[in-house]
């Protein structure tokens, strides 16, 4: 499905692409630094991931209203620069011999908070830039780019780690945020900010507006609960899986990167097929089928073993899972944007992202404890079993339709 989305979308897409490639080149860098440089145990690795997510999520709840009432491009540029400064501090500290576990925690918090604000601003700006009937195509392009970066980034990052160490990949990630800021800076034309009475101050109750809007809409409510539980249970196993593969099974870094790089090609294929499948079979049917399948395959990680058979198991399981995610994610992202008015988009997206990350943090800590008390493989198996129940929260057919755009670009102030 070929749709012209305009030069401004192209720059936004380019900025997203370069930062996404940087992130995936540095995939697993912090756990690797914690394990191989700082010699941290499984619980500390899980805590590193969880603490950054949790604190960032709590801070981000207050960022939703702040982002909502500001022009989105300056917000995106500022968040990119903040992430650049935070990430570049890691290789600087390493060279000076000052790198510590505490610094990794602080950088995780700063980077995570800025990422939530950037995502909220870019999502609201995407709704402004792209017509409602083209959002599925636009989201499909973002999703496809994400999975290509996921395929190429980890193997390249694994090779860089093998040659130069994990700190070098963190530097590459830092530079990607700087390039992303330059890309956003190239966007020309209008901007968008929700109108606000200058005499009205932000109240504590305003921080709950995102939740109120999500919970009021039946389809959004079910999508919200399903998405945060699925992402939470999947992400809870990431640090544990790192310990299992790198620690217990002694996978070299290049195999670890390969195990998550090759399956991402399925995500690219899924993202390319998403809009076509919706056109042929309908939005709800494709959402339900892909939503169910993405919750079934993670249980296959319970059969991971050392050596080449284990590597092949991870590649096959992750490949099937990611293909389904590549189909599902653009549909769910489009449904969310189309059901959200433009003057609520940033707050809904920040609330959604912050809630998801907060749950991920809690489950990472819980799964770190579970892996310590039992074993990493047992903790991974438990996550797979619980995921089997999450499709019950997907929206019913009566909840999902093709709604009219809630608010057009003319209904918000153009900066």
């Amino acid at each position: 499905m070929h749709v012209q989305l305009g030069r401004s979308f192209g720059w936004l897409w380019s900025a997203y692409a370069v930062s996404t490639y940087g992130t995936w080149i540095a995939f697993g860098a912090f756990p690797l630094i914690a394990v191989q440089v700082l010699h941290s145990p499984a619980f500390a690795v899980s805590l590193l991931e969880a603490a950054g997510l949790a604190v960032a999520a709590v801070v981000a709840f207050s960022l939703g209203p702040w982002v909502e009432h500001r022009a989105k491009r300056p917000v995106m540029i500022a968040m990119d620069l903040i992430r650049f400064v935070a990430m570049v501090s890691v290789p600087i500290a390493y060279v000076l011999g000052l790198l510590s576990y505490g610094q990794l925690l602080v950088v995780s918090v700063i980077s995570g908070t800025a990422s939530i604000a950037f995502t909220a601003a870019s999502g609201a700006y995407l709704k402004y830039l792209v017509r409602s009937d083209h959002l599925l195509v636009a989201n499909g392009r973002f999703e496809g780019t994400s999975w290509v970066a996921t395929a190429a980034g980890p193997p390249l990052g694994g090779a860089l780690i093998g040659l130069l160490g994990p700190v070098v990949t963190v530097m590459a990630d830092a530079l990607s945020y700087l390039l992303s800021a330059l890309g956003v800076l190239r966007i020309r034309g209008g901007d968008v900010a929700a109108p606000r009475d200058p005499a009205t101050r932000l109240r504590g109750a305003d921080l709950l507006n995102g939740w109120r809007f999500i919970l009021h809409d039946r389809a959004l409510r079910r999508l919200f609960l399903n998405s945060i539980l699925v992402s939470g249970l999947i992400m809870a196993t990431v640090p544990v899986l790192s310990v299992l593969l790198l620690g217990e099974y002694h996978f070299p870094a290049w195999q670890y990167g390969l195990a998550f790089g090759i399956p991402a090609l399925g995500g690219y294929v899924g993202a390319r097929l998403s809009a076509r499948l919706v056109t042929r079979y309908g939005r709800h049917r494709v959402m339900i089928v892909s939503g169910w399948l993405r919750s079934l395959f993670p249980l296959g990680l319970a059969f991971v073993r050392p050596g080449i058979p284990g590597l092949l198991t991870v590649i096959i399981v992750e490949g099937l899972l990611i293909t389904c995610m590549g189909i599902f994610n653009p549909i769910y992202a489009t449904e969310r944007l189309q059901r959200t008015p433009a003057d609520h988009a940033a707050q809904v997206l920040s609330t959604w992202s912050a809630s998801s990350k907060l749950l991920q943090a809690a489950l990472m800590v819980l799964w770190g404890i579970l892996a310590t008390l039992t074993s990493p493989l047992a903790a991974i198996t438990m996550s797979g079993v619980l995921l089997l129940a999450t499709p019950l929260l997907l929206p019913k057919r009566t909840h999902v339709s093709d709604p009219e755009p809630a608010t057009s670009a003319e209904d918000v102030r153009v900066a």
Side-chain angles (χ1 to χ4, degrees):
M1 182 179 294
H2 184 71
V3 176
Q4 294 292 336
L5 299 176
R7 186 183 297 271
S8 293
F9 172 80
W11 281 115
L12 183 63
W13 187 16
S14 298
Y16 173 82
V18 70
S19 63
T20 302
Y21 271 92
T23 297
W24 281 104
I25 286 174
F27 171 73
F30 274 25
L32 278 170
I33 292 171
V35 171
Q36 296 182 353
V37 178
L38 302 176
H39 308 293
S40 304
F43 177 74
V45 176
S46 292
L47 183 63
L48 174 63
E49 296 287 320
L53 288 174
V55 179
V58 171
V59 174
F61 280 117
S62 63
L63 290 178
W66 181 81
V67 173
E68 198 76 75
H69 301 294
R70 281 163 176 79
K72 302 304 181 287
R73 289 203 312 275
V75 171
M76 288 188 280
I77 292 170
M79 295 305 109
D80 271 336
L81 294 178
I82 288 172
R83 290 188 288 183
F84 166 72
V85 171
M87 297 300 290
V88 82
S89 72
V90 173
I92 291 174
Y94 177 77
V95 170
L96 296 176
L98 301 174
L99 184 62
S100 67
Y101 182 82
Q103 181 180 351
L104 292 183
L105 282 174
V106 172
V107 171
S108 294
V109 170
I110 294 173
S111 179
T113 303
S115 294
I116 292 174
F118 182 94
T119 299
S122 62
Y125 195 58
L126 178 65
K127 185 176 176 69
Y128 168 76
L129 282 180
V130 177
R131 285 169 34 188
S132 179
D133 56 334
H134 289 166
L135 279 173
L136 181 56
V137 175
N139 282 314
R141 291 182 186 178
F142 281 116
E143 188 73 13
T145 299
S146 176
W147 291 119
V148 172
T150 306
L156 179 58
L160 287 174
I161 288 170
L163 291 173
L164 302 173
V167 176
V168 173
T169 63
V170 176
M171 185 67 191
D173 190 21
L175 291 175
S176 75
Y177 294 127
L178 190 60
L179 293 174
S180 173
L182 293 174
V184 176
L185 191 62
R186 292 296 301 273
I187 297 175
R188 297 291 183 266
D191 207 326
V192 58
R196 182 178 180 180
D197 185 353
T200 303
R201 293 188 174 185
L202 178 66
R203 299 170 300 171
D206 294 335
L207 304 181
L208 302 177
N209 286 340
W211 268 328
R212 290 193 188 99
F213 188 87
I214 292 169
L215 298 178
H216 179 73
D217 185 290
R218 290 181 298 175
L220 283 182
R221 181 171 64 246
R222 294 179 73 93
L223 274 177
F224 173 73
L225 294 174
N226 173 266
S227 67
I228 67 171
L229 284 173
V230 170
S231 63
L233 288 169
I234 290 175
M235 292 302 296
T237 65
V238 170
V240 178
L241 189 59
S242 299
V243 173
L244 178 68
L245 299 182
L246 296 169
E248 292 190 11
Y249 292 171
H250 304 292
F251 278 37
W254 69 268
Q255 286 189 357
Y256 180 72
L258 199 65
F260 294 97
I262 292 178
L265 295 174
Y268 174 74
V269 173
R272 296 284 293 178
L273 291 174
S274 186
R276 298 176 185 178
L277 290 172
V278 168
T279 300
R280 183 167 183 176
Y281 298 106
R283 182 185 297 186
H284 182 262
R285 180 181 297 179
V286 178
M287 180 190 294
I288 293 299
V289 172
S290 59
W292 269 95
L293 290 175
R294 92 194 205 283
S295 300
L296 294 176
F297 293 125
L299 190 57
L301 292 176
F303 302 98
V304 173
R305 296 295 181 267
I308 298 301
L311 175 63
L312 293 176
T313 300
V314 174
I315 290 174
I316 292 171
V317 170
E318 292 288 335
L320 294 171
L321 166 64
I322 290 172
T323 299
C324 296
M325 292 174 67
I327 296 171
F328 180 89
N329 288 350
I331 302 171
Y332 126 77
T334 300
E335 186 76 19
R336 181 176 59 183
L337 274 180
Q338 287 183 333
R339 289 180 172 273
T340 305
D343 57 353
H344 285 72
Q347 192 161 357
V348 166
L349 292 175
S350 63
T351 297
W352 200 297
S353 181
S355 301
S356 179
K357 291 182 183 299
L358 197 58
L359 182 61
Q360 287 174 23
L363 292 181
M364 280 181 180
V365 172
L366 183 59
W367 254 252
I369 296 172
L370 183 61
T372 301
L373 296 177
T374 57
S375 70
L377 190 60
I380 291 168
T381 303
M382 179 63 70
S383 173
V385 171
L386 292 175
L387 276 165
L388 298 177
T390 57
L392 298 175
L393 291 169
L394 287 168
K396 298 180 180 179
R397 183 178 297 276
T398 54
H399 298 160
V400 177
S401 59
D402 293 316
E404 292 296 323
T407 305
S408 65
E410 289 78 18
D411 296 326
V412 294
R413 178 174 59 84
V414 177

